Amino acid sequence: MIFSYHEVNKLPIMVIDGLFDKSVSEKIMQELLFLNNDPRKLKDPEGSGSAWDPDTNSVNGKKYLKKNKAHSLDAIYADRTASNILTENIKIFSDEVTSELIQAHPIFRYLKYANMDATLVSYYENSDYYLPHRDDATITALTWFYKKPKAFTGGNLVLEESLEIDCMSNRCIIFPSITLHSVNEIMLAPDKAGMDLGRFTISQFISYKI
């Protein structure tokens, strides 16, 4: 793993490259492809809920902040051990990871005391995006995957509308959930649509609540 620390508007951002080893990454990718190819699982914004502008005029319907497919893994798996993603993404709570994070900034101590977490899987294809928003959690961790070679452009993460992090497979970004963040538009050639060649994201929403 390679750790890279950044700050934007005094908010700490940690980037971890190579979070998972090759065998684990392959298991995770297999599950992502399985989820993406079953219409009962990953759903459009109307089906997956959340991510809508609360100031939307109810007469005109909700205005969603994102265009992608997504679903909560905890709503799919009653038993977390049945999911490779849910059994492997707990790595961010390991001493190996948290020691680096806490050394960089004390706010990441929340990872040691977290008592609530939820995982969302999302998939972006051509023209998909996520407008600026904040998450309802304490710490957010985003990990990206895609088929190689990379077939799309865009899909980068923009934090506080100023720091842009390139989308790289097996790259994890961890930051306070209050941080404003967005995903710029994915560009994928029409002849590559529907072939699982876009951007997968595993989002972990971590909280400490009394």
Side-chain angles (χ1 to χ4, degrees):
M1 291 183 292
I2 299 175
F3 293 82
S4 177
Y5 180 75
H6 309 263
E7 284 193 7
V8 55
N9 292 340
K10 298 184 179 180
L11 292 164
I13 314 296
M14 182 65 84
V15 178
I16 308 173
D17 286 310
L19 177 63
F20 300 108
D21 64 29
K22 182 178 178 181
S23 62
V24 170
S25 296
E26 289 174 351
K27 289 196 301 182
I28 289 173
M29 191 65 188
Q30 288 173 0
E31 185 173 350
L32 291 170
L33 295 173
F34 163 74
L35 294 169
N36 195 43
N37 284 282
D38 187 336
R40 299 171 300 174
K41 296 181 172 67
L42 301 193
K43 302 177 183 297
D44 59 19
E46 291 82 356
S48 61
S50 73
W52 54 277
D53 185 348
D55 296 325
T56 299
N57 186 329
S58 60
V59 174
N60 298 322
K62 294 178 180 178
K63 176 185 176 183
Y64 289 92
L65 299 177
K66 65 177 183 177
K67 180 177 176 287
N68 68 5
K69 296 194 300 180
H71 208 299
S72 166
L73 286 194
D74 291 294
I76 296 174
Y77 298 101
D79 178 1
R80 284 192 172 193
T81 63
S83 165
N84 288 326
I85 295 171
L86 293 176
T87 54
E88 297 293 351
N89 71 357
I90 60 173
K91 184 174 182 179
I92 65 167
F93 299 109
S94 68
D95 290 340
E96 182 182 16
V97 173
T98 57
S99 61
E100 292 281 348
L101 289 163
I102 293 168
Q103 184 176 347
H105 197 285
I107 198 171
F108 293 121
R109 291 174 185 169
Y110 278 115
L111 289 169
K112 299 287 286 186
Y113 298 99
N115 53 19
M116 295 181 66
D117 72 284
T119 299
L120 182 81
V121 165
S122 54
Y123 177 70
Y124 296 73
E125 271 222 356
N126 187 47
S127 79
D128 287 357
Y129 59 85
Y130 206 142
L131 297 177
H133 64 286
R134 296 177 175 87
D135 297 327
D136 183 17
T138 305
I139 300 292
T140 295
L142 308 175
T143 307
W144 298 320
F145 288 92
Y146 51 78
K147 284 184 177 180
K148 296 181 180 180
K150 189 176 184 181
F152 62 88
T153 58
N156 295 336
L157 182 71
V158 181
L159 300 134
E160 292 289 306
E161 301 186 312
S162 60
L163 175 64
E164 184 168 340
I165 306 292
D166 290 343
C167 178
M168 302 288 290
S169 194
N170 200 15
R171 167 174 279 182
C172 179
I173 304 90
I174 304 177
F175 53 89
S177 302
I178 195 65
T179 307
L180 189 69
H181 56 289
S182 61
V183 178
N184 56 31
E185 188 175 1
I186 289 275
M187 289 162 281
L188 182 68
D191 63 342
K192 296 182 179 179
M195 300 171 63
D196 303 313
L197 292 173
R199 170 195 191 266
F200 289 95
T201 305
I202 300 170
S203 303
Q204 292 171 261
F205 305 113
I206 301 152
S207 299
Y208 172 73
K209 295 186 179 181
I210 300 174

